[in-house]
Amino acid sequence: MTYLSNTQGYCPVEAPLLREKIESLLGMRPVIVRVSTREIHLYTPIPLGRRMEETLWDRVAPPSTIEEPACPQSGIPRVLCRYKALLRLERYWEAHEVGEELWRLGFPAGQLMAVAAGVLARAQEGDSRAVETILDSILPVVAGGQAGVGIPLDPARLREEAYKTLACSSSSVPLLIIDPPLLSYRRK
């Protein structure tokens, strides 16, 4: 992963064109590009060397200095803290992976959290078709199996936030209301 500062004001809808430009500069495929209001996230099949990174910094954007905040708790509360921090930083793919980690740990809403963050990650890739597929096909199935977990998720709001992300609008309303002390992660 490489993080670049979004100093040029790129929008997620421009991610496919930016991906083509970066693939051309690096001479490497595939490169996954996600664009947030603060950063450009690059995922490459092999780590970039210093020379390739400098080429990107010179021609696309400078390196990002945004760091993920530390979460002092331990166990599931620590993972939940990290999930929320990643959402605030608009690092939705990483939040998706943390949701999957919660799911593997037996946290009932982990799968739902992974899907919600995954929708926003696809929006950051400028892929409205994938966003619609996940919202229309996958989310209802996952949400149906997550009944009673205590985490409200509004699919209409998630759709709205995904399209705000695509259009470079600011997202101000949290999608998930997570209060770790009130959540139970015991299987029934």
Side-chain angles (χ1 to χ4, degrees):
M1 281 185 281
T2 302
Y3 296 104
L4 304 173
S5 293
N6 190 359
T7 55
Q8 303 294 326
Y10 290 108
C11 289
V13 292
E14 298 171 292
L17 295 173
L18 190 55
R19 185 188 74 236
E20 288 176 16
K21 178 180 180 177
I22 291 170
E23 285 177 343
S24 174
L25 281 171
L26 298 178
M28 158 188 323
R29 290 177 195 251
V31 173
I32 297 172
V33 176
R34 294 189 181 96
V35 179
S36 80
T37 57
R38 302 174 188 141
E39 296 177 315
I40 300 165
H41 308 159
L42 304 179
Y43 301 83
T44 55
I46 57 170
L48 299 179
R50 182 72 177 167
R51 198 176 114 257
M52 287 182 166
E53 285 180 348
E54 288 173 353
T55 299
L56 284 173
W57 299 343
D58 290 343
R59 298 198 180 140
V60 179
S64 176
T65 57
I66 298 172
E67 293 184 22
E68 185 181 322
C71 291
Q73 303 98 335
S74 62
I76 288 187
R78 178 184 176 87
V79 182
L80 283 168
C81 171
R82 183 160 183 251
Y83 181 86
K84 291 193 305 184
L86 290 167
L87 285 180
R88 281 191 300 276
L89 291 173
E90 300 176 74
R91 291 185 178 173
Y92 299 131
W93 188 257
E94 289 88 340
H96 161 79
E97 291 175 339
V98 172
E100 287 184 343
E101 182 182 346
L102 285 165
W103 183 23
R104 282 190 299 274
L105 290 171
F107 189 76
Q111 186 181 17
L112 186 60
M113 294 164 75
V115 170
V119 166
L120 298 174
R122 291 298 185 193
Q124 285 182 321
E125 292 174 23
D127 192 346
S128 60
R129 186 173 296 154
V131 167
E132 286 298 323
T133 299
I134 296 168
L135 287 169
D136 292 342
S137 304
I138 299 168
L139 184 63
V141 172
V142 172
Q146 298 287 326
V149 297
I151 294 183
L153 174 69
D154 183 346
R157 183 176 291 166
L158 179 58
R159 183 180 306 274
E160 180 183 323
E161 293 300 313
Y163 280 94
K164 279 184 184 180
T165 298
L166 274 164
C168 271
S169 297
S170 61
S171 297
S172 58
V173 181
L175 299 173
L176 296 166
I177 300 164
I178 303 166
D179 189 358
L182 299 177
L183 293 174
S184 170
Y185 48 88
R186 293 183 301 244
R187 291 188 182 267
K188 292 183 179 181

